[in-house]
Every structure is written in C-alpha cells, then in structure tokens.
Amino acid sequence: MVSMLAVTATAGYICRVNVSTAGVLLMKEYSLTQVEMGRVFSAFLVGYALCQAPAGALADRWGARRVLAAASWLWVGLTVVQAFIGLAPLPTSATAVLTGLVVIRFLLGIAAAPTYPASGRGVSRWTPPLLQGRANGLVIGSVGLGSALAPPLVSSVMVEWGWRAALAVSAVPALAVAIAWRFVSDPPDARRSDEPLPANSAMDRSPQPAPPGRRAFVLLTMSYALQGYVGYIFVSWFYLYLVQERHFGLLTGAWVSSLPWVLSIVSIPLGGLISDRLASGALGPVWGRRIVAMVGMAGSGVLISLGAHTESAIVAAVSLAFATALVLCVEGPFWATMMRLAGPRSGSAGGIMNTGCNLAGLLSPALTPLIASYVGWEMALHLAAALSVVAALLWFGIGFPTAQPRS
C-alpha cells in the first residue's frame, strides 16, 4: 500500500510540474513574461493550498484509497484539457491563453490537494509508528521522482512534437494509476490498540498518544511553511533559472534540472529512515526527528547561498541541486512528527500542516522572480537561504511528551 501511495503521488507530481518544463516554449509562443508565468504556477497553489484541510478531512471520512482514486481521474482530465489551451475554436490570444492556464491550473490544484493528506491518512492507518518516517519518506519521495521524470519526459516530447503533445503525454502515468486503484482494496489497520507493540521502541509505548499542546503543532506548521517557500522555488523555477539565467540549452537544462530530483529520490526516503533509527535509539523520538530536520534545512541554506553567489554555472547547478535534496530530506520527520501529534486525525492535521507549506509555496513562484527583477536572482536566492535556516531553528521548539511505558 505504501508503494501504491508512492506511485500515485509520483504520477500526480508529473501532472503538477509538467508546465514548468513546457513553459519554455509556451512562454515563447505567447510572449509571456516570467512574472506572468509565475501567476500560472501560483494559480495551482491557490487551489492546492485552499483545499488541503478539506481534502484531509475527506480522507479521514472516506479513506485514502477512495479519495486518491477519484483524484487520479481528475488529474488525467485536467492535464489533457490544459494541452488544448489556445487552440481554435477556443480563444487564441495571449491574454486568453494566460487566463485559461490560470483557471486550469487552479482546478488542477484542487484535484491534487488530497495527494499528501490522504497519503498521510493511509500511512497513519496502515503503517506502525516505528516505520512512519521511512514510509512517509517513500511516499513523499514522489516529489523527487516525479520532478526527475518530468523534465526529460516533457522536453523530449516537446522538442519533437511541441509543448501540447508533451503535456498530454504527461497524463499517461496518472491514467495508469487511476485504473490500478480499481483493483486495490483497503487492508486492515497496521496495529490495533489491543495488539502488542514492538520491543525497544521509545516511540511506540502507547498506541495513540494524546495530542500535546498546540504550540508544537503551530511551530511545526510554521517551519513546514518556510520549507515550502524554499522548495517551491526549485519545483517551479529551477529549469527556467538554468536556461534563462545560467544559459543552459533546452535539453541540457532539462537533464541538469533533473539532478536535484534524482538526488531527492534517495534523500527523502533516507531522511525518513535515519529519523526512524535515531528516534527509536538513544536520542529518543524528539531529537531523533529534530536533528534530521535541522541539519537538512540549515545545510540547504548554506548551499543555496553558495549556488547563488558563484559565477560558475556548473557549480551553481550542483550546489542548488544538493540544496534541494537537503531541504526535501526533512519530509519524513515532518510528517511522522505530525502523526505523533495528531494520532487518528492525521488526515485533517496533515491537511492543515500542508496548507501552511503551500500558502508559503503560493507566494514563492510569483514573489521570487519579482524580487529578482528588482535586486537580481542572487539576492532572491539568498533570501530563500535565510528562510531555510529560520525553518531549522524553529525545531528547537517542536516536541511532544515522552510516552510512558504501558502497565
């Protein structure tokens, strides 16, 4: 089931980031500016962010499988419709195309909103707490896998047949997933309250710990919001930054822009695995989650500043690629900590936490090129680096009561 959740999220992510690669020719064909393209990116995030909490509540009520199956069909339909924007008999002016893209991306954001809250609900229900860091890492590794697959897939089709065909082809994985969910049924809960707990598990001495104070969850959401601001810069702008600012070619830029996502395929599950090991060991659940999150985000901030400042395009690309891998390696600790805080309400709590991430991510694609237009891309990236460090520092206030051994 974790594999199915991961494949679903990956297919959804391809539909989500395809326009970042197709945007190079799309912008050229309709003379769209970076700021206008930023509005297209942000339109997705408006729908996505607004519907996180409702999508999580829906998953708590109807279950992860049903919600994700329905969402997959919507991804297919909206991605195909997106490919027909600007074709007669539809309006063909640049303004009409921009408006159409904004509307379609907004609707696609709504359709994509259940992806991670519903997956969080599934992981919370189907996976023992001791394994939730790595399980979340595998699911959210779709960020890396989807983003790694999308640029070469979209660009290779785009070079031969244009950006419209590339967008249509990017819906094929989602179609396969939508069909596959018809043959999957819900498994039983991973562990009921009357079942024995794993030995030597500092995390699992109580089946459903009572939620701690709200302060920890608020700080967790704030930190995740800052992590989202930084991460969405690379999701939306890394390929265009390489091509337009660092002067890579279309195909070369596509392959280089896949590097951070290839690294993230390893770093996201690895971050969850390491945090599981540390949390069940001598460090305990609080520092076991905290140390991975802090090292990942602080290290990312350092590498972002290095990549922004260097004059070498290759050094910049490699530094920013590793920065992306580090800022994303913290996903497992974030979601496992949320599940520890929320217990059976993980769908709703995950939706709230992801709302914070995506509200900040909503600002990032539009605000970053705007800042860059005034002070340059280097300063815009230095700001992102500073926010990544602040996100790391917030983890000093994130914790939860240590569970007492069961009598």
Side-chain angles (χ1 to χ4, degrees):
M1 292 306 296
V2 171
S3 298
M4 190 64 193
L5 292 174
V7 171
T8 301
T10 300
Y13 220 83
I14 292 173
C15 294
R16 177 174 174 171
V17 302
N18 54 13
V19 77
S20 296
T21 302
V24 174
L25 294 186
L26 174 62
M27 291 171 68
K28 183 178 180 180
E29 182 173 340
Y30 292 101
S31 301
L32 301 179
T33 66
Q34 287 187 348
V35 172
E36 288 172 330
M37 202 62 193
R39 292 173 193 158
V40 175
F41 296 148
S42 293
F44 173 93
L45 293 172
V46 171
Y48 188 72
L50 289 177
C51 292
Q52 286 296 301
L58 197 66
D60 282 341
R61 180 174 179 82
W62 295 105
R65 181 186 62 81
R66 290 180 181 177
V67 171
L68 289 173
S72 299
W73 286 108
L74 290 174
W75 302 341
V76 174
L78 289 168
T79 300
V80 171
V81 169
Q82 186 178 236
F84 287 92
I85 290 292
L87 287 179
L90 298 174
T92 58
S93 68
T95 301
V97 168
L98 179 60
T99 302
L101 284 171
V102 167
V103 171
I104 294 299
R105 295 295 294 180
F106 173 76
L107 295 175
L108 188 59
I110 294 175
T115 306
Y116 295 108
S119 296
R121 166 65 177 172
V123 169
S124 177
R125 179 183 172 189
W126 301 325
T127 308
L130 186 60
L131 305 178
Q132 286 176 355
R134 67 197 76 178
N136 281 298
L138 287 171
V139 173
I140 303 173
S142 63
V143 173
L145 185 56
S147 297
L149 292 174
L153 171 65
V154 173
S155 63
S156 59
V157 177
M158 182 173 67
V159 168
E160 293 293 331
W161 293 292
W163 62 268
R164 299 181 191 280
L167 290 180
V169 168
S170 68
V172 172
L175 177 61
V177 164
I179 295 171
W181 274 113
R182 294 179 60 86
F183 302 97
V184 176
S185 57
D186 283 318
D189 289 354
R191 189 193 70 215
R192 300 184 185 278
S193 59
D194 57 349
E195 289 178 342
L197 296 165
N200 300 321
S201 172
M203 304 165 57
D204 295 317
R205 292 171 180 166
S206 63
Q208 289 293 351
R214 294 191 179 114
R215 179 174 177 271
F217 184 74
V218 169
L219 291 175
L220 184 73
T221 302
M222 290 172 61
S223 181
Y224 200 51
L226 295 177
Q227 188 258 11
Y229 181 96
V230 177
Y232 272 112
I233 293 175
F234 298 103
V235 170
S236 300
W237 282 106
F238 191 51
Y239 177 72
L240 294 173
Y241 172 77
L242 293 179
V243 172
Q244 296 179 346
E245 302 297 326
R246 293 293 183 170
H247 308 297
F248 284 84
L250 288 180
L251 290 178
T252 304
W255 286 105
V256 174
S257 68
S258 293
L259 177 59
W261 313 115
V262 171
L263 294 172
S264 297
I265 294 169
V266 177
S267 74
I268 297 176
L270 185 62
L273 174 61
I274 292 173
S275 73
D276 278 348
R277 295 287 178 84
L278 295 176
S280 61
L283 286 178
V286 175
W287 275 101
R289 302 298 185 198
R290 183 181 288 166
I291 195 167
V292 175
M294 294 182 71
V295 170
M297 288 185 292
S300 178
V302 172
L303 288 175
I304 290 171
S305 282
L306 174 62
H309 183 67
T310 181
E311 294 183 2
S312 168
I314 296 297
V315 172
V318 172
S319 296
L320 294 174
F322 276 93
T324 309
L326 281 177
V327 82
L328 294 175
C329 82
V330 304
E331 295 285 354
F334 266 107
W335 285 82
T337 299
M338 178 278 296
M339 291 174 187
R340 173 72 183 223
L341 297 175
R345 295 169 291 178
S346 294
S348 299
I352 294 170
M353 185 180 77
N354 217 23
T355 297
C357 174
N358 287 282
L359 286 176
L362 171 65
L363 295 175
S364 176
L367 189 59
T368 301
L370 189 61
I371 295 172
S373 68
Y374 285 99
V375 296
W377 273 93
E378 180 176 346
M379 290 304 300
L381 292 177
H382 282 319
L383 173 62
L387 293 177
S388 189
V389 173
V390 172
L393 295 176
L394 287 174
W395 271 81
F396 279 116
I398 298 170
F400 36 79
T402 303
Q404 298 299 319
R406 299 199 324 183
S407 58

